[in-house]
Amino acid sequence: MVNRVLRSALLSFAACGLALAAHAQTTPATPPAPATTQAAPNPAVGTDPVVARVNEQEVHLSDLMRLVSQLPPQVQQMPLDMIYGALVDQLVNQKLLSAAAYKDGLDKTEETKAELKQAEERIVQRAFITKAVQSRITPDKLDAAYKDYLKNNPPQDEVKASHILVENEAEAKDIIAQLSKGGDFAKLAKEKSKDTVAAAQGGDLGYFTKDTMVEPFANAAFAMKPGEISKEPVKTQFGYHVIKVEDKRKAPPPTLDEMKPQLEKEMSKDIVTAVIDDLRKGAKVETFQVDGSPMPKEEPAAAPKTDAKPAEPAKK
């Protein structure tokens, strides 16, 4: 299964032409050096070791990790030792294909030069934007954004509750009767609840906000006091619930470290927009129609018509 997922990802990678970006960063192949009887030793682990050698061209660990970063998230999350062999094979294939293409002079065709130029431009664009974003997201600005987030997102009320979910009202009422006589809620949840995930925890649902539960359940739970068990079954589309409220609190705010990725993403959008706006202000930009002819000039907006009559001269 793993090999099939990885193979599919690598094939998609190649088919989409993503390998071209790697080619644009690779120096064109030079004639192989004379063969030696003693292979060059691999650098020490941690200093970008060689993971393969193809006709004397070295492939480094950094090349492999770059390939990983361009693959789908489900592949990136796999343990490296599980996919290492397939990744090395793919890098070897890429080196062989690149060398064959350079040998055929395909890097010198007008079409390839244009594509390589586009790939190069995308790379330097990304580098420029990354540099601009990193230089403008300072610790002070990040802290200010975090404080704004906390101000605009006050802590919500949370309830910690357990429940027992059954098929019919009669069964739910029987459980409530047992609990009123001292029955053990967690034990009954494990025995009778059809919510098997919560049942394994004695019915425990943990803390939740009102908007995360279906309305009848949420309304009932938030109306109860800590330690209270619902006196009547609560019906939802899932069945009949017996609820026990354990605790109530204000949700603890997320920490700056937890919010940092989201804040950086939001700040980056504004920074990129500002950077592009600044560049456009200082540039002479001309645009043309699809046939290359000048764009038609926009006519100034006509003054709005009015029915008002001109004022009469004042009478002496």
Side-chain angles (χ1 to χ4, degrees), residues 261-289:
Q262 179 181 327
L263 294 174
E264 287 180 337
K265 185 176 181 181
E266 292 172 356
M267 294 170 70
S268 296
K269 293 178 183 177
D270 294 335
I271 291 170
V272 171
T273 300
V275 167
I276 293 174
D277 285 346
D278 288 344
L279 291 172
R280 291 182 73 94
K281 287 176 185 175
K284 180 182 178 182
V285 178
E286 298 177 273
T287 57
F288 302 89
Q289 299 193 84

Side-chain angles (χ1 to χ4, degrees), residues 157-176:
D157 291 324
E158 285 187 332
V159 163
K160 185 177 189 293
S162 300
H163 81 141
I164 302 171
L165 176 63
V166 291
E167 292 284 355
N168 58 72
E169 186 177 14
E171 189 176 2
K173 286 185 175 180
D174 180 62
I175 290 170
I176 291 172

Side-chain angles (χ1 to χ4, degrees), residues 301-307:
K305 293 182 178 180
T306 175
D307 294 331

Side-chain angles (χ1 to χ4, degrees), residues 295-307:
M295 284 285 190
K297 292 183 179 180
E298 292 186 6
E299 297 293 335
K305 293 182 178 180
T306 175
D307 294 331

